[in-house]
Coordinates of all heavy atoms in Angstrom, one line a residue:
C168 N 5.3 7.3 -9.7 CA 4.9 7.1 -8.3 C 5.4 8.2 -7.5 O 6.5 8.8 -7.7 CB 5.5 5.8 -7.8 SG 4.8 4.3 -8.7
P169 N 4.7 8.5 -6.4 CA 5.2 9.6 -5.5 C 6.4 9.1 -4.7 O 6.6 7.9 -4.5 CB 4.0 9.9 -4.6 CG 3.2 8.6 -4.6 CD 3.4 8.0 -6.0
A170 N 7.2 10.1 -4.3 CA 8.4 9.8 -3.5 C 7.8 9.4 -2.1 O 6.8 9.9 -1.6 CB 9.3 11.0 -3.4
P171 N 8.5 8.4 -1.4 CA 8.1 8.0 -0.1 C 7.9 9.2 0.9 O 7.0 9.2 1.7 CB 9.1 7.0 0.3 CG 9.7 6.4 -0.9 CD 9.6 7.6 -1.9
S172 N 8.8 10.1 0.8 CA 8.8 11.3 1.7 C 7.6 12.2 1.4 O 7.3 13.1 2.3 CB 10.1 12.0 1.7 OG 10.3 12.5 0.4
S173 N 7.0 12.1 0.3 CA 5.9 13.0 -0.1 C 4.5 12.5 0.2 O 3.5 13.2 -0.1 CB 6.0 13.4 -1.5 OG 5.6 12.3 -2.3
L174 N 4.4 11.4 0.9 CA 3.1 10.8 1.2 C 2.4 11.5 2.3 O 2.7 11.4 3.5 CB 3.2 9.3 1.5 CG 3.6 8.4 0.4 CD1 3.6 6.9 0.9 CD2 2.7 8.5 -0.8
R175 N 1.5 12.4 1.9 CA 0.7 13.2 2.9 C -0.7 13.5 2.3 O -0.9 13.5 1.1 CB 1.4 14.6 3.1 CG 2.8 14.4 3.6 CD 3.2 15.6 4.6 NE 4.5 15.4 5.1 CZ 4.8 14.8 6.3 NH1 3.8 14.4 7.0 NH2 6.0 14.7 6.7
T176 N -1.6 13.7 3.2 CA -3.0 14.1 2.8 C -3.0 15.5 2.4 O -2.0 16.2 2.6 CB -4.0 13.9 4.0 OG1 -3.6 14.7 5.1 CG2 -4.0 12.4 4.5
A177 N -4.1 16.0 1.9 CA -4.2 17.4 1.5 C -4.0 18.4 2.6 O -3.5 19.5 2.4 CB -5.6 17.6 0.9
N178 N -4.3 18.0 3.9 CA -4.0 18.9 5.0 C -2.7 18.7 5.7 O -2.4 19.3 6.7 CB -5.2 18.7 6.1 CG -5.2 17.4 6.8 OD1 -4.3 16.6 6.6 ND2 -6.1 17.2 7.6
G179 N -1.8 17.8 5.1 CA -0.4 17.7 5.5 C -0.2 16.5 6.5 O 0.9 16.3 6.9
T180 N -1.3 15.8 6.8 CA -1.1 14.6 7.7 C -0.3 13.5 7.0 O -0.5 13.2 5.8 CB -2.5 14.0 8.1 OG1 -3.2 15.1 8.7 CG2 -2.3 12.9 9.1
R181 N 0.6 12.9 7.7 CA 1.4 11.8 7.1 C 0.6 10.6 6.8 O -0.3 10.2 7.5 CB 2.5 11.4 8.1 CG 3.6 10.5 7.5 CD 4.8 10.5 8.5 NE 4.5 9.8 9.7 CZ 4.8 8.5 10.0 NH1 5.4 7.8 9.1 NH2 4.5 8.0 11.1
I182 N 0.9 10.0 5.6 CA 0.4 8.7 5.2 C 1.5 7.7 5.2 O 2.6 7.9 4.8 CB -0.2 8.8 3.7 CG1 -1.4 9.8 3.7 CG2 -0.6 7.5 3.2 CD1 -1.9 10.1 2.3
C183 N 1.2 6.5 5.7 CA 2.2 5.4 5.8 C 2.4 4.7 4.5 O 3.5 4.4 4.1 CB 1.8 4.4 6.9 SG 3.2 4.1 8.0
A184 N 1.4 4.5 3.7 CA 1.5 3.8 2.4 C 0.3 4.1 1.5 O -0.8 4.4 2.0 CB 1.6 2.3 2.6
Q185 N 0.6 4.0 0.2 CA -0.5 4.0 -0.8 C -0.4 2.8 -1.6 O 0.7 2.5 -2.2 CB -0.4 5.3 -1.6 CG -0.8 6.5 -0.8 CD -0.9 7.8 -1.7 OE1 -1.4 8.8 -1.2 NE2 -0.4 7.8 -2.9
L186 N -1.5 2.1 -1.8 CA -1.6 1.0 -2.7 C -2.4 1.3 -3.9 O -3.4 2.0 -3.8 CB -2.2 -0.2 -2.0 CG -1.4 -0.9 -0.8 CD1 -1.2 0.1 0.3 CD2 -2.0 -2.1 -0.4
Y187 N -1.9 0.9 -5.1 CA -2.5 1.3 -6.3 C -3.1 0.1 -7.1 O -2.5 -1.0 -7.0 CB -1.5 2.0 -7.2 CG -1.0 3.3 -6.6 CD1 0.1 3.2 -5.8 CD2 -1.6 4.5 -6.9 CE1 0.6 4.4 -5.2 CE2 -1.1 5.6 -6.3 CZ 0.0 5.6 -5.5 OH 0.4 6.7 -4.9
A188 N -4.2 0.3 -7.8 CA -4.9 -0.8 -8.5 C -4.2 -1.1 -9.9 O -4.3 -2.2 -10.4 CB -6.3 -0.5 -8.7
D189 N -3.7 0.0 -10.5 CA -3.2 -0.2 -11.9 C -1.6 -0.1 -11.9 O -1.1 0.7 -11.1 CB -3.7 0.9 -12.8 CG -5.2 0.7 -13.0 OD1 -5.7 -0.4 -12.7 OD2 -5.9 1.7 -13.4
S190 N -1.0 -0.8 -12.8 CA 0.4 -0.8 -12.9 C 0.8 -0.8 -14.4 O -0.1 -1.0 -15.2 CB 1.1 -1.9 -12.1 OG 2.5 -1.7 -12.1
S191 N 2.0 -0.8 -14.6 CA 2.5 -0.8 -16.0 C 4.0 -1.3 -16.0 O 4.7 -1.0 -15.0 CB 2.4 0.6 -16.6 OG 3.1 0.6 -17.9
P192 N 4.4 -1.9 -17.1 CA 5.9 -2.3 -17.1 C 6.8 -1.0 -17.2 O 7.9 -1.1 -17.0 CB 6.0 -3.2 -18.3 CG 4.8 -2.9 -19.1 CD 3.7 -2.4 -18.2
Y193 N 6.2 0.1 -17.6 CA 6.9 1.4 -17.7 C 6.7 2.1 -16.4 O 5.6 2.5 -16.0 CB 6.4 2.2 -18.8 CG 6.5 1.5 -20.1 CD1 5.3 0.9 -20.7 CD2 7.7 1.3 -20.8 CE1 5.4 0.2 -21.9 CE2 7.8 0.5 -22.0 CZ 6.6 0.0 -22.5 OH 6.7 -0.7 -23.7
Y194 N 7.9 2.4 -15.7 CA 7.8 3.0 -14.4 C 7.0 4.3 -14.3 O 6.3 4.6 -13.4 CB 9.3 3.3 -13.9 CG 9.3 3.8 -12.5 CD1 9.1 3.0 -11.4 CD2 9.5 5.2 -12.2 CE1 9.1 3.5 -10.1 CE2 9.5 5.7 -10.9 CZ 9.3 4.8 -9.9 OH 9.3 5.3 -8.6
D195 N 7.2 5.2 -15.4 CA 6.5 6.5 -15.3 C 4.9 6.3 -15.5 O 4.2 7.3 -15.3 CB 7.0 7.4 -16.4 CG 6.8 6.9 -17.8 OD1 6.7 5.6 -18.0 OD2 6.8 7.7 -18.8
Q196 N 4.4 5.1 -15.7 CA 3.0 4.9 -15.8 C 2.5 4.0 -14.7 O 1.3 3.6 -14.7 CB 2.7 4.2 -17.2 CG 3.0 5.1 -18.4 CD 2.8 4.4 -19.7 OE1 2.2 3.4 -19.8 NE2 3.4 5.0 -20.7
C197 N 3.3 3.7 -13.7 CA 2.9 2.9 -12.6 C 2.1 3.8 -11.6 O 2.0 5.0 -11.8 CB 4.1 2.4 -11.8 SG 4.9 1.0 -12.7
C198 N 1.6 3.2 -10.6 CA 0.8 3.9 -9.5 C -0.4 4.6 -10.1 O -0.5 5.8 -9.8 CB 1.8 4.8 -8.8 SG 3.2 4.0 -8.0
G199 N -1.2 3.9 -10.8 CA -2.4 4.5 -11.4 C -3.7 3.8 -10.9 O -3.6 2.9 -10.1
G200 N -4.8 4.4 -11.3 CA -6.1 3.8 -10.9 C -6.5 4.1 -9.5 O -6.0 5.1 -8.9
A201 N -7.3 3.3 -8.9 CA -7.8 3.5 -7.6 C -6.7 3.4 -6.6 O -5.7 2.7 -6.8 CB -8.8 2.4 -7.2
V202 N -6.8 4.2 -5.5 CA -5.8 4.3 -4.5 C -6.3 3.9 -3.1 O -7.4 4.3 -2.7 CB -5.2 5.7 -4.4 CG1 -4.2 5.8 -3.3 CG2 -4.6 6.2 -5.7
L203 N -5.6 3.0 -2.4 CA -6.0 2.6 -1.0 C -4.9 3.2 -0.1 O -3.7 2.9 -0.2 CB -6.0 1.1 -0.9 CG -6.4 0.6 0.5 CD1 -7.8 1.0 0.9 CD2 -6.3 -0.9 0.5
V204 N -5.4 4.1 0.8 CA -4.5 4.8 1.7 C -4.3 4.0 3.0 O -5.4 3.6 3.6 CB -5.0 6.2 2.0 CG1 -4.1 6.9 3.1 CG2 -5.0 7.1 0.7
V205 N -3.1 3.9 3.5 CA -2.8 3.2 4.8 C -2.3 4.2 5.7 O -1.2 4.8 5.5 CB -1.8 2.0 4.6 CG1 -1.6 1.4 5.9 CG2 -2.3 1.0 3.6
N206 N -3.0 4.5 6.8 CA -2.6 5.5 7.8 C -1.6 4.9 8.8 O -1.6 3.7 9.0 CB -3.8 6.1 8.5 CG -4.7 6.9 7.6 OD1 -4.2 7.7 6.9 ND2 -6.0 6.6 7.6
P207 N -0.8 5.7 9.4 CA 0.1 5.2 10.4 C -0.6 4.5 11.5 O -1.7 4.9 12.0 CB 0.8 6.5 11.0 CG 0.6 7.5 9.8 CD -0.7 7.2 9.2
G208 N -0.1 3.4 12.0 CA -0.7 2.6 13.1 C -1.8 1.8 12.7 O -2.5 1.1 13.5
S209 N -2.2 1.7 11.4 CA -3.3 0.8 11.0 C -3.0 -0.6 11.2 O -1.8 -1.1 11.0 CB -3.6 1.1 9.5 OG -4.0 2.4 9.3
D210 N -4.0 -1.4 11.5 CA -3.9 -2.8 11.7 C -5.1 -3.4 11.0 O -6.2 -3.4 11.6 CB -3.8 -3.2 13.1 CG -3.6 -4.7 13.3 OD1 -3.3 -5.4 12.3 OD2 -3.7 -5.2 14.5
V211 N -5.0 -3.8 9.8 CA -6.2 -4.3 9.0 C -5.9 -5.7 8.6 O -5.2 -6.0 7.7 CB -6.3 -3.4 7.8 CG1 -7.6 -3.8 7.0 CG2 -6.4 -1.9 8.2
P212 N -6.6 -6.7 9.3 CA -6.4 -8.1 9.0 C -7.1 -8.6 7.7 O -6.8 -9.6 7.2 CB -6.9 -8.8 10.2 CG -7.9 -7.9 10.8 CD -7.4 -6.5 10.5
Y213 N -8.0 -7.7 7.2 CA -8.7 -8.1 5.9 C -8.7 -6.9 5.0 O -8.9 -5.8 5.4 CB -10.2 -8.5 6.2 CG -10.3 -9.7 7.1 CD1 -10.4 -9.6 8.5 CD2 -10.2 -11.0 6.5 CE1 -10.4 -10.7 9.3 CE2 -10.3 -12.1 7.3 CZ -10.4 -11.9 8.7 OH -10.5 -13.1 9.5
M214 N -8.5 -7.2 3.7 CA -8.5 -6.1 2.7 C -9.9 -5.5 2.6 O -10.9 -6.3 2.7 CB -8.0 -6.6 1.3 CG -6.6 -6.9 1.3 SD -5.5 -5.5 1.5 CE -5.7 -4.7 -0.1
P215 N -10.1 -4.3 2.3 CA -11.4 -3.7 2.1 C -12.0 -4.4 0.9 O -11.4 -4.9 0.0 CB -11.1 -2.2 1.8 CG -9.8 -1.9 2.4 CD -9.0 -3.2 2.3
R216 N -13.3 -4.3 0.8 CA -14.1 -4.9 -0.3 C -13.6 -4.4 -1.6 O -13.2 -3.3 -1.8 CB -15.6 -4.5 -0.1 CG -16.5 -5.2 -1.1 CD -17.9 -4.7 -0.9 NE -18.8 -5.4 -1.8 CZ -19.6 -6.4 -1.4 NH1 -19.7 -6.7 -0.1 NH2 -20.3 -7.0 -2.3
N217 N -13.5 -5.3 -2.6 CA -13.0 -5.1 -3.9 C -11.5 -4.8 -4.0 O -11.0 -4.4 -5.1 CB -13.7 -3.9 -4.6 CG -15.2 -4.2 -4.8 OD1 -15.6 -5.3 -5.0 ND2 -16.0 -3.2 -4.6
W218 N -10.7 -5.0 -3.0 CA -9.3 -4.8 -3.1 C -8.5 -6.2 -3.0 O -7.3 -6.2 -3.3 CB -8.8 -3.9 -2.0 CG -8.9 -2.5 -2.4 CD1 -9.9 -1.6 -2.1 CD2 -7.9 -1.8 -3.2 NE1 -9.7 -0.4 -2.7 CE2 -8.5 -0.5 -3.3 CE3 -6.7 -2.0 -3.7 CZ2 -7.8 0.5 -4.0 CZ3 -6.0 -1.1 -4.4 CH2 -6.6 0.2 -4.6
A219 N -9.1 -7.3 -2.7 CA -8.4 -8.5 -2.6 C -7.8 -8.9 -4.0 O -8.5 -8.8 -5.0 CB -9.3 -9.7 -2.2
A220 N -6.5 -9.2 -4.0 CA -5.8 -9.6 -5.3 C -5.8 -8.5 -6.3 O -5.8 -8.7 -7.5 CB -6.3 -10.9 -5.8
R221 N -6.0 -7.2 -5.9 CA -6.1 -6.1 -6.9 C -4.9 -5.2 -6.9 O -4.6 -4.5 -7.8 CB -7.3 -5.3 -6.5 CG -7.6 -4.3 -7.6 CD -9.0 -3.7 -7.4 NE -9.2 -2.6 -8.3 CZ -10.0 -1.6 -8.1 NH1 -10.7 -1.5 -7.0 NH2 -10.1 -0.6 -9.0
V222 N -4.1 -5.2 -5.8 CA -3.0 -4.2 -5.7 C -1.9 -4.6 -6.6 O -1.5 -5.8 -6.7 CB -2.4 -4.2 -4.2 CG1 -1.2 -3.3 -4.1 CG2 -3.5 -3.8 -3.2
S223 N -1.5 -3.7 -7.4 CA -0.4 -4.0 -8.4 C 0.9 -3.2 -8.1 O 1.9 -3.6 -8.6 CB -0.9 -3.7 -9.8 OG -1.2 -2.3 -9.9
S224 N 0.8 -2.1 -7.4 CA 2.0 -1.4 -7.0 C 1.7 -0.6 -5.7 O 0.6 -0.4 -5.3 CB 2.4 -0.4 -8.1 OG 1.3 0.4 -8.5
L225 N 2.8 -0.3 -5.0 CA 2.6 0.4 -3.7 C 3.8 1.3 -3.5 O 4.9 1.1 -4.0 CB 2.5 -0.6 -2.6 CG 3.6 -1.6 -2.4 CD1 4.6 -1.1 -1.4 CD2 2.9 -2.9 -1.8
V226 N 3.6 2.3 -2.6 CA 4.6 3.2 -2.1 C 4.5 3.2 -0.6 O 3.4 3.5 -0.1 CB 4.5 4.6 -2.7 CG1 5.6 5.5 -2.1 CG2 4.6 4.6 -4.2
V227 N 5.6 3.0 0.1 CA 5.6 3.0 1.6 C 6.4 4.3 2.0 O 7.5 4.5 1.5 CB 6.2 1.8 2.2 CG1 6.3 1.8 3.7 CG2 5.5 0.5 1.7
G228 N 5.8 5.0 2.9 CA 6.4 6.3 3.3 C 7.6 6.1 4.2 O 7.9 5.0 4.7
T229 N 8.4 7.1 4.4 CA 9.6 7.1 5.2 C 9.1 6.8 6.7 O 8.0 7.2 7.1 CB 10.4 8.4 5.2 OG1 9.5 9.5 5.4 CG2 11.0 8.6 3.8
R230 N 9.9 6.1 7.4 CA 9.7 5.7 8.8 C 8.5 4.9 9.0 O 7.8 4.9 10.0 CB 9.6 7.0 9.7 CG 10.9 7.8 9.7 CD 10.8 8.9 10.7 NE 9.5 9.4 11.1 CZ 9.1 10.6 10.7 NH1 9.8 11.4 10.0 NH2 7.9 11.0 11.1
C231 N 8.1 4.2 7.9 CA 6.9 3.2 8.0 C 7.3 1.9 7.4 O 8.3 1.8 6.6 CB 5.7 3.8 7.1 SG 4.8 5.1 7.9
E232 N 6.6 0.9 7.8 CA 6.8 -0.5 7.3 C 5.4 -1.1 7.1 O 4.5 -0.9 7.9 CB 7.5 -1.3 8.3 CG 7.9 -2.7 7.8 CD 8.7 -3.4 8.8 OE1 8.1 -4.1 9.8 OE2 9.9 -3.4 8.7
L233 N 5.2 -1.7 5.9 CA 4.0 -2.3 5.6 C 4.2 -3.8 5.5 O 5.0 -4.3 4.8 CB 3.5 -1.8 4.2 CG 2.2 -2.4 3.7 CD1 1.0 -1.9 4.5 CD2 2.0 -2.0 2.2
T234 N 3.4 -4.6 6.3 CA 3.5 -6.0 6.2 C 2.2 -6.5 5.6 O 1.1 -6.1 6.0 CB 3.6 -6.6 7.6 OG1 4.7 -6.0 8.3 CG2 3.7 -8.1 7.6
V235 N 2.3 -7.4 4.6 CA 1.2 -8.0 3.9 C 1.2 -9.5 4.0 O 2.3 -10.1 4.2 CB 1.1 -7.6 2.4 CG1 0.9 -6.1 2.3 CG2 2.3 -8.0 1.7
W236 N 0.1 -10.2 4.0 CA 0.0 -11.6 4.1 C -0.6 -12.2 2.8 O -1.4 -11.5 2.2 CB -0.8 -12.0 5.3 CG -0.1 -11.8 6.6 CD1 0.6 -12.7 7.3 CD2 0.0 -10.6 7.3 NE1 1.1 -12.2 8.4 CE2 0.8 -10.9 8.4 CE3 -0.5 -9.3 7.1 CZ2 1.1 -9.9 9.4 CZ3 -0.2 -8.4 8.1 CH2 0.5 -8.7 9.2
S237 N -0.3 -13.4 2.5 CA -0.9 -14.1 1.3 C -2.3 -14.5 1.5 O -3.0 -14.7 0.5 CB 0.0 -15.2 0.9 OG 0.0 -16.2 1.9
R238 N -2.8 -14.6 2.7 CA -4.1 -15.0 3.0 C -4.8 -14.1 3.9 O -4.2 -13.4 4.7 CB -4.1 -16.5 3.5 CG -3.6 -17.5 2.5 CD -3.6 -18.9 3.0 NE -4.8 -19.3 3.6 CZ -4.9 -20.2 4.6 NH1 -3.9 -20.7 5.1 NH2 -6.1 -20.5 5.0
A239 N -6.1 -14.0 3.9 CA -6.9 -13.2 4.8 C -6.7 -13.5 6.2 O -6.3 -14.6 6.6 CB -8.4 -13.3 4.4
G240 N -6.9 -12.6 7.1 CA -6.8 -12.8 8.5 C -5.4 -12.9 9.0 O -5.1 -13.6 10.0
K241 N -4.4 -12.3 8.3 CA -3.0 -12.4 8.7 C -2.5 -13.8 8.7 O -1.8 -14.2 9.6 CB -2.7 -11.7 10.0 CG -3.0 -10.2 10.0 CD -2.7 -9.7 11.3 CE -2.9 -8.2 11.4 NZ -2.6 -7.6 12.7
K242 N -2.9 -14.6 7.7 CA -2.5 -16.0 7.6 C -1.7 -16.2 6.3 O -1.7 -15.4 5.4 CB -3.7 -16.9 7.6 CG -4.4 -16.9 9.0 CD -5.5 -17.8 9.0 CE -6.1 -17.7 10.4 NZ -7.5 -18.2 10.5
G243 N -0.9 -17.3 6.3 CA -0.1 -17.5 5.1 C 1.2 -16.9 5.2 O 1.7 -16.5 6.3
K244 N 1.9 -16.7 4.1 CA 3.2 -16.1 4.0 C 3.1 -14.6 4.1 O 2.1 -14.0 3.7 CB 3.9 -16.4 2.7 CG 4.2 -17.9 2.5 CD 4.9 -18.2 1.2 CE 5.2 -19.7 1.1 NZ 5.8 -20.0 -0.2
S245 N 4.1 -14.0 4.8 CA 4.1 -12.5 4.9 C 5.3 -11.9 4.3 O 6.3 -12.6 4.0 CB 4.1 -12.1 6.4 OG 5.3 -12.5 7.0
R246 N 5.2 -10.7 3.9 CA 6.3 -9.9 3.3 C 6.2 -8.5 3.8 O 5.1 -7.9 4.0 CB 6.1 -9.9 1.8 CG 7.3 -9.2 1.2 CD 7.5 -9.6 -0.2 NE 8.7 -8.9 -0.7 CZ 9.0 -8.8 -1.9 NH1 8.2 -9.3 -2.9 NH2 10.0 -8.1 -2.3
R247 N 7.4 -7.9 4.1 CA 7.4 -6.6 4.6 C 8.0 -5.6 3.6 O 8.9 -6.0 2.9 CB 8.3 -6.5 5.9 CG 7.6 -7.2 7.0 CD 8.5 -7.2 8.3 NE 7.8 -7.9 9.3 CZ 8.1 -7.9 10.6 NH1 9.1 -7.1 11.0 NH2 7.4 -8.6 11.4
F248 N 7.4 -4.4 3.5 CA 7.9 -3.4 2.6 C 8.2 -2.1 3.4 O 7.6 -1.8 4.3 CB 6.8 -3.1 1.6 CG 6.5 -4.2 0.7 CD1 5.4 -5.0 1.0 CD2 7.2 -4.4 -0.5 CE1 5.1 -6.1 0.2 CE2 6.8 -5.5 -1.3 CZ 5.8 -6.3 -1.0
G249 N 9.3 -1.5 3.0 CA 9.7 -0.2 3.6 C 9.9 0.8 2.5 O 9.8 0.5 1.3
A250 N 10.3 2.0 2.9 CA 10.5 3.1 1.9 C 11.7 2.7 1.0 O 11.8 3.0 -0.1 CB 10.8 4.4 2.6

């Protein structure tokens, strides 16, 4: 997985988090498959199409916090992730 401090786009813009579709019990094989990028300041109450219950690993950038909910529309239990 990339280091939290290295989350940037190709042009150098900071990324707040990256969510990955594939994971593995072996750390060096985690963070694979499709990637969903979360930009700073994003407020997304619903997962994009085909991403519901698909995220298996994530990396949150430095100075960012990612809050996720167990149900759509910011309902249910929540959990916060940081770098």
